[in-house]
Amino acid sequence: MKFAVIVFPGSNCDVDMYHAVKDELGEQVDLVWHDVDNLDQYDGILLPGGFSYGDYLRSGAIAHMSNVMAAVKKAAEAGKPVLGVCNGFQILLESGLLPGAMLRNKNLKFICRTVELTVENNETMFTSLYEKGEKISIPVAHGEGNYYCDDETLAKLKENNQIAFTYASDVNGSLSDIAGITNEKGNVLGMMPHPERAVDDLLGSADGLKLFQSIVKHWRDSHVVNA
Amino acid sequence: MYKVKVYVTLRESVLDPQGKAVQQSLSSLGYNGVEDVRIGKYMELQFDDTVTDVEGTVKEVCEKLLSNPVIEDYRYEIEESAKQ
């Protein structure tokens, strides 16, 4: 399976993501600059964390106008897995690939620590190797991760099982403790916590690795004969 | 030439933790009468004469980029301005 890690000016978790896929997952991966307009050769798209365009205007607002985002949308429409982490999640929200928006953390602080997440939905291509209700330790590092959407959207997220991860206890004020959501089709996941920083016991936790392994398993099951 | 002033504010239904902190700070300074503070953004856009539909363009850029309709409202003022 071949992944693209999209790099924007100001991305700073791109190399972590690259390392997670190449060295821990053992799959092919390229760092792809934001001005390309074709991602057809890739099977999975990863939008890393950071501060694209210095978070000017709103987090992710400028990045979502990048050339590459049309190709990311095309990949999402084709059903390919698209994962946005932290700033990547914010870009997916700004681009409309996921519903809702991010507000400043409730306590106005940049929160940087490992938190406990609950796997709410393990029937997605990103979470199939977790147990439903499993508690996992994944680091967060953000100032604007306070997820917000209107009541109607929240009801829809719940009804369609689009809430993949929640914080086991309140971290940033997010509505319903939402840490990660998918689109309706289930092939686009945005999450504030950083699974790519939790892929080896040496990093303090390897709980994030199963997320990447789930993506590969899903791809193998549908693309490889006798998988 | 037109000068456009754009004001982007959080929707009424959205909590503003930054505004809340400022309100509390004002209250600790003794300004107890300040009931609520909402923080927003102010932008100035300078349009040249090649833009024919200024108002339409302003609305378009506000909706596409300058504000996020999920959490923000916008309003604008258009002023005619002389060439500098």
Side-chain angles (χ1 to χ4, degrees):
Chain A
M1 187 172 179
K2 195 171 182 188
F3 289 90
V5 175
I6 311 296
V7 186
F8 300 93
S11 295
N12 66 9
C13 302
D14 42 336
V15 178
D16 293 19
M17 194 71 97
Y18 181 88
H19 162 76
V21 174
K22 184 166 181 283
D23 302 318
E24 302 291 343
L25 192 63
E27 296 293 327
Q28 291 183 64
V29 57
D30 287 337
L31 290 168
V32 177
W33 192 234
H34 65 97
D35 61 356
V36 305
D37 44 26
N38 189 322
L39 294 169
D40 289 351
Q41 59 167 312
Y42 298 102
D43 308 305
I45 314 296
L46 306 170
L47 301 176
F51 298 85
S52 57
Y53 296 91
D55 271 356
Y56 293 167
L57 197 62
R58 293 178 308 277
S59 308
I62 314 275
H64 105 262
M65 312 299 276
S66 302
N67 242 356
V68 76
M69 286 312 292
V72 172
K73 277 185 186 157
K74 192 178 155 201
E77 276 159 25
K80 291 182 185 176
V82 175
L83 168 67
V85 169
C86 200
N87 190 225
F89 185 9
Q90 293 163 337
I91 295 168
L92 290 174
L93 292 170
E94 281 286 338
S95 68
L97 280 168
L98 291 173
M102 286 298 171
L103 300 170
R104 289 279 288 272
N105 291 345
K106 195 175 62 180
N107 65 1
L108 297 174
K109 288 185 178 138
F110 189 94
I111 302 168
C112 187
R113 62 183 165 91
T114 297
V115 300
E116 198 175 54
L117 303 181
T118 308
V119 179
E120 295 291 339
N121 181 2
N122 70 339
E123 290 173 4
T124 78
M125 63 171 77
F126 303 95
T127 56
S128 62
L129 293 174
Y130 294 106
E131 302 295 322
K132 185 174 164 63
E134 188 175 337
K135 303 276 192 236
I136 58 174
S137 291
I138 308 278
V140 295
H142 58 250
E144 293 187 24
N146 180 353
Y147 180 80
Y148 174 86
C149 64
D150 59 34
D151 296 342
E152 197 184 324
T153 308
L154 182 64
K156 238 174 109 187
L157 287 176
K158 288 181 173 167
E159 196 186 306
N160 298 331
N161 270 328
Q162 286 172 253
I163 302 173
F165 300 105
T166 54
Y167 300 108
S169 61
D170 182 29
V171 167
N172 50 25
S174 281
L175 216 61
S176 293
D177 289 320
I178 285 174
I181 55 169
T182 65
N183 62 345
E184 249 183 271
K185 221 160 70 178
N187 68 311
V188 178
L189 170 69
M191 61 192 294
M192 288 315 288
H194 288 268
E196 81 284 4
R197 293 190 194 176
V199 288
D200 192 305
D201 288 331
L202 278 173
L203 297 170
S205 166
D207 290 351
L209 191 55
K210 276 197 266 183
L211 189 150
F212 295 100
Q213 289 167 336
S214 299
I215 302 175
V216 175
K217 180 179 183 295
H218 177 267
W219 186 83
R220 291 243 158 88
D221 288 349
S222 49
H223 287 84
V224 181
V225 185
N226 299 327
Chain B
M1 300 273 287
Y2 291 92
K3 183 170 160 179
V4 180
K5 299 174 173 176
V6 176
Y7 304 84
V8 176
T9 48
L10 279 177
R11 291 199 153 176
E12 283 304 318
S13 56
V14 176
L15 289 173
D16 179 4
Q18 218 184 155
K20 188 84 196 144
V22 172
Q23 187 268 330
Q24 280 164 2
S25 181
L26 284 173
S27 146
S28 70
L29 279 171
Y31 299 99
N32 296 315
V34 183
E35 204 181 329
D36 193 21
V37 177
R38 309 279 295 170
I39 292 179
K41 292 175 194 144
Y42 169 66
M43 296 168 234
E44 281 183 3
L45 284 67
Q46 198 80 44
F47 281 67
D48 66 21
D49 296 328
T50 60
V51 183
T52 46
D53 178 13
V54 175
E55 181 151 15
T57 309
V58 171
K59 278 188 184 164
E60 215 174 287
V61 298
C62 281
E63 272 153 38
K64 268 193 191 162
L65 181 63
L66 301 186
S67 78
N68 179 343
V70 178
I71 45 170
E72 292 169 329
D73 288 322
Y74 67 88
R75 65 188 174 82
Y76 54 85
E77 292 159 12
I78 299 174
E79 290 172 7
E80 237 174 300
S81 67
K83 245 191 182 104
Q84 298 293 311

